[in-house]
Amino acid sequence: MFEWLKNSLEEHVSLTKEEWEYFKNYFRPKRMLKRQFLLQEGDVCRELAFVEKGSLYSYTVDSAGNKHVIRFAFEGWWMANLHSFFTEQPTRLNIEILENSELLMLDRKNHDKLLEELPAYERYNRIILQNAYVALQQRVENALGLTAEEKYDRLIEESPAFLNRVPLNLVASYLGVSPETLSRVRGNYNR
Amino acid sequence: MFEWLKNSLEEHVSLTKEEWEYFKNYFRPKRMLKRQFLLQEGDVCRELAFVEKGSLYSYTVDSAGNKHVIRFAFEGWWMANLHSFFTEQPTRLNIEILENSELLMLDRKNHDKLLEELPAYERYNRIILQNAYVALQQRVENALGLTAEEKYDRLIEESPAFLNRVPLNLVASYLGVSPETLSRVRGNYNR
DNA sequence: AAAGATTATTGACAAACATCAAGAAATCAT
DNA sequence: ATGATTTCTTGATGTTTGTCAATAATCTTT
């Protein structure tokens, strides 16, 4: 149940056995089914979610009712709306379960407590954020000023894993193109 | 010379006078003129830059020779290519001075040393990264699936400061739109 | 102040993409 | 297995946006 979290942590910092036992008790395991909502527009995001199993994704809905997928998360990834989590303001994001999932939830109080009591956790957070920032910047590079085809090219180069686990209409939204356009771009590949 | 840096730090963590004196000595002041390059494609990013005065921006150049502006930075902001800084791999980014600037440079060795020796610096980094991540996520939301006009609307809502200090062709690139389209969108405003 | 360089606007046209609509394929639930 | 959803593809059409080209405005430099 805590394997991915343990690996993620150990990848970046070192903890004693005692620290780890202490650490893991702050998390609340939570199972969720496909199509359930971890967070809905208007809610305040009160917990960070770490994915032990399954997948989920976040999106906004614009005034015309169109979904805009912001991000996916799979095993070993964190998911939350950080803006809402830190400001305690209602979110404009929805987070929906994509595949039946096992999550480890950490609320704000416990997050703050861990930051105070476990310097390794503060360091872990810094490094995770560093990596997330770099990845997100890459996403901006790939989203701006590229054609639909170029975006798709880069996606299969950089994260082919997506395509096996995420329906294409969500991939399309993630790339900022219509499902029809994505379908046509893919068609061009197979000949 | 260190005012913005001091303010930025004190906004998020508290330092004793001695710690501050110790801290600031790790930085190397550097003046740069408009159009100079802080970093060029192919270089390794060896220093973080904190902006005390002026402004600069980062961009990629695609195979067709088009600029894609990734980010601007003004007084009180950090600028670097984190990916290159941490991996020591050559960057695909250019960082160019927009207005004559005064920067405070921190190299990797000193950055690491400060992280080890000054827990407040580690915390400061985590918080700065948190905020940067939230801002970047906002940027992704605003870049994907919006029309040129909507992107411009959101820009003047969220960061009107840009428009007074950045030429419109760079703003256009930042929004992922051609200069002509941006010009037309702005035209629609004034009537 | 004048010449040169850079930046911004406008028009005409072409290309990329979204939308609408219909049908095929795959997945899910009973 | 079978029907019901959901997801995916394909075609026809219209809108948005990019590109090219010319001109105007602004900023720099001497």
Side-chain angles (χ1 to χ4, degrees):
Chain A
M1 183 80 229
F2 289 86
E3 289 160 43
W4 281 94
L5 182 60
K6 190 152 189 267
N7 285 339
S8 176
L9 220 68
E10 287 176 347
E11 197 177 328
H12 300 298
V13 297
S14 42
L15 285 188
T16 64
K17 203 162 174 9
E18 293 70 35
E19 283 174 327
W20 163 250
E21 293 300 328
Y22 173 80
F23 175 77
K24 70 189 264 214
N25 283 325
Y26 282 91
F27 288 81
R28 175 176 76 87
K30 175 169 185 160
R31 278 173 200 278
M32 294 190 76
L33 298 175
K34 189 172 171 169
R35 277 169 209 278
Q36 285 187 305
F37 284 87
L38 182 60
L39 190 73
Q40 284 193 58
E41 193 173 346
D43 295 348
V44 170
C45 179
R46 305 219 170 264
E47 291 173 293
L48 304 174
F50 180 88
V51 186
E52 273 293 326
K53 185 156 180 236
S55 59
L56 54 171
Y57 69 106
S58 61
Y59 62 92
T60 58
V61 179
D62 68 20
S63 47
N66 298 314
K67 264 190 191 183
H68 299 271
V69 172
I70 306 297
R71 200 162 91 73
F72 297 100
F74 303 91
E75 291 85 0
W77 301 41
W78 290 89
M79 176 65 100
N81 180 7
L82 291 190
H83 183 264
S84 174
F85 184 74
F86 290 118
T87 62
E88 300 189 345
Q89 287 177 3
T91 179
R92 281 168 300 114
L93 234 64
N94 300 277
I95 301 180
E96 191 175 329
I97 305 299
L98 190 60
E99 304 169 300
N100 296 347
S101 295
E102 294 172 23
L103 307 175
L104 298 172
M105 311 300 293
L106 181 66
D107 70 21
R108 179 72 192 280
K109 210 173 72 260
N110 286 333
H111 173 71
D112 286 346
K113 209 181 280 181
L114 283 173
L115 285 173
E116 293 299 335
E117 298 176 358
L118 208 62
Y121 182 65
E122 174 114 43
R123 171 152 299 187
Y124 172 74
N125 262 268
R126 174 182 57 83
I127 295 171
I128 288 287
L129 280 164
Q130 247 168 227
N131 294 342
Y133 183 85
V134 167
L136 199 55
Q137 178 147 321
Q138 188 60 46
R139 175 150 160 66
V140 172
E141 283 180 44
N142 292 344
L144 283 176
L146 297 189
T147 66
E149 185 153 11
E150 289 168 327
K151 291 184 199 176
Y152 183 68
D153 286 353
R154 299 210 180 174
L155 183 70
I156 51 181
E157 247 178 59
E158 290 166 19
S159 16
F162 274 38
L163 296 167
N164 305 319
R165 296 178 67 177
V166 178
L168 291 177
N169 57 350
L170 294 185
V171 174
S173 168
Y174 179 77
L175 294 177
V177 297
S178 71
E180 292 94 336
T181 296
L182 179 61
S183 178
R184 284 184 247 266
V185 165
R186 283 163 49 85
N188 297 339
Y189 263 70
N190 311 323
R191 64 182 75 105
Chain B
M1 183 81 229
F2 289 86
E3 289 159 42
W4 281 94
L5 182 60
K6 190 152 188 265
N7 284 340
S8 176
L9 219 68
E10 287 176 347
E11 197 178 327
H12 301 299
V13 297
S14 42
L15 285 188
T16 64
K17 201 158 173 15
E18 293 70 35
E19 283 174 326
W20 164 249
E21 292 300 328
Y22 174 81
F23 174 76
K24 70 190 262 213
N25 282 326
Y26 282 91
F27 289 81
R28 175 176 77 86
K30 176 169 185 159
R31 277 173 201 279
M32 294 190 76
L33 298 175
K34 190 170 171 171
R35 279 171 208 280
Q36 286 188 306
F37 284 86
L38 182 60
L39 191 72
Q40 283 193 60
E41 193 172 346
D43 295 346
V44 170
C45 179
R46 305 219 171 264
E47 292 173 292
L48 305 173
F50 181 87
V51 185
E52 275 291 328
K53 182 151 181 243
S55 60
L56 55 171
Y57 69 106
S58 61
Y59 62 93
T60 57
V61 179
D62 67 20
S63 48
N66 299 314
K67 266 191 190 181
H68 299 271
V69 173
I70 305 299
R71 201 162 92 72
F72 297 100
F74 302 91
E75 291 85 359
W77 301 42
W78 290 88
M79 176 66 99
N81 181 5
L82 292 189
H83 182 263
S84 174
F85 184 75
F86 290 118
T87 63
E88 300 190 347
Q89 287 177 3
T91 178
R92 282 168 300 114
L93 234 62
N94 300 278
I95 301 181
E96 191 177 329
I97 306 298
L98 190 60
E99 304 168 300
N100 296 347
S101 295
E102 294 173 23
L103 308 174
L104 297 172
M105 311 300 296
L106 182 66
D107 70 20
R108 180 72 191 280
K109 211 173 72 260
N110 286 333
H111 173 72
D112 286 346
K113 210 180 281 180
L114 283 173
L115 284 173
E116 293 300 336
E117 298 176 358
L118 207 61
Y121 182 65
E122 175 116 42
R123 171 151 300 185
Y124 172 74
N125 262 268
R126 174 184 56 82
I127 295 171
I128 288 287
L129 281 164
Q130 248 169 228
N131 294 343
Y133 183 85
V134 167
L136 199 57
Q137 178 146 321
Q138 189 59 46
R139 175 150 160 67
V140 172
E141 282 181 44
N142 292 344
L144 284 175
L146 298 190
T147 65
E149 186 153 10
E150 289 168 326
K151 290 183 199 176
Y152 182 68
D153 286 353
R154 298 210 181 175
L155 183 70
I156 49 181
E157 248 178 58
E158 288 165 19
S159 16
F162 274 37
L163 296 167
N164 306 319
R165 296 178 66 177
V166 178
L168 291 176
N169 59 348
L170 295 184
V171 174
S173 167
Y174 179 77
L175 294 177
V177 179
S178 72
E180 293 92 338
T181 296
L182 179 60
S183 179
R184 284 184 245 267
V185 165
R186 284 164 48 84
N188 297 341
Y189 263 70
N190 312 322
R191 64 181 75 104

